[in-house]
Amino acid sequence: MATVQRHAVVAGAGIGGLTAAVALHRHGWRVIVCERAAGPTAVGAGIVLAPNALRAFDTIGFDITGSAGRTVPAAMGLRRPDGRWLSRADTAALAARFGGPPLALHRSALADALASALPATAIRYGVAVTSVDDADGAPVVRTDAGDLHGADLVIAADGIHSPLRRQYFPDHPGLHHSGETAWRTVLPAAASSAGTATAETWGRGERFGVVPLADGRTYLYATAVVPAGRRPADVRAELLRRYGTWHDPIPALLERIDPAAVLQHDLYDLAAPLPRFHHGRLAWLGDAAHAMTPNLGQGGCQAVEDAAVLGHLLAGIDAADVPAALAAYSAARCARTDAIRVRARRAGRVAALTHPLAVAVRDLAVRATPARAATRAMAALFEGFALPDGMGTVPAGVATRW
């Protein structure tokens, strides 16, 4: 058992970085989180924590329901623009099958809860990690506020455009544009009136999602097949043009949005998998390791899984054993996350179909899919999380160097 306190630096205070920091802190590590943003923000979007993410949080002893609320929608499913359901699942049945229902909440609420589980001095806002030198030996973390020395571990949770991924994988092809853009916002409870179901509506090359959050607010998102970089001059007018004739309550919800609070991002994933999620004493997690499109709602959930596995493998080990633990982390996480990345890309292609005949065939196929088949598909996501037994060995398919 380690007797000297180990020291970790986390690059990025997103959901994955903060979850990793909490996991390490609870295992006795001293943690510094460097975040390029000037401070926490209430602006943002919702996140749905699927049962696999909630189980991962359980493994580090973190209970989000105490601060986020426990209200869950009565049903989840897919609809057509005219309001007819293509598929619909009762939330209580999902909870019985998977041990609990998904929990939808504002990302800032989750980030605040995670930050409150850390020492007050752990997060350094306005500090961007630019590079990490000597990751094989004694890492030097370069930041725009000065260098950090003495880390036994560095975690690259620095997002989809990860500078540390580019530094250590210079030959990787980088990001792949899905062909879609996404708008996201959260309505206050008083302006919601969204009903009690979580629903995603599929049109021709367009989608609209309505997600009641646990605290009474409503998360809205929309996607469309749009060239990268295109931004409307009037976001409300653009959304009403695209979705204003769709079924209730979509038009009324769009009338209530605050255009200044609408986020727009083009959707990307990694063009190819990374060969490993570690290099010496440096580990990648979340979007930095396996950026995926949001079509399965698993991007944040997989970051939470990453963090739980890292915390488990790094618990109680000596500093000398960190590289072996990170190799075991790669072995545990590479295959699962890449399978989900590929599955999310394929799901997005189906949802974004534009030809009327292809859309009609798609919708018919969804309606004809038996409920048990849909449940089996969810089981691979929701039941696929497990903590590895220990550090173990690296299988032949996981490289130790690029």
Side-chain angles (χ1 to χ4, degrees), residues 165-173 402:
R165 185 180 65 229
R166 292 196 300 269
Q167 179 187 356
Y168 280 88
F169 301 101
D171 297 324
H172 187 272
W402 176 257

Side-chain angles (χ1 to χ4, degrees), residues 34-36 125-131 141-147:
C34 297
E35 168 54 45
R36 67 174 60 249
Y125 289 105
V127 177
V129 173
T130 56
S131 64
V141 181
R142 311 287 187 188
T143 83
D144 55 7
D147 296 343

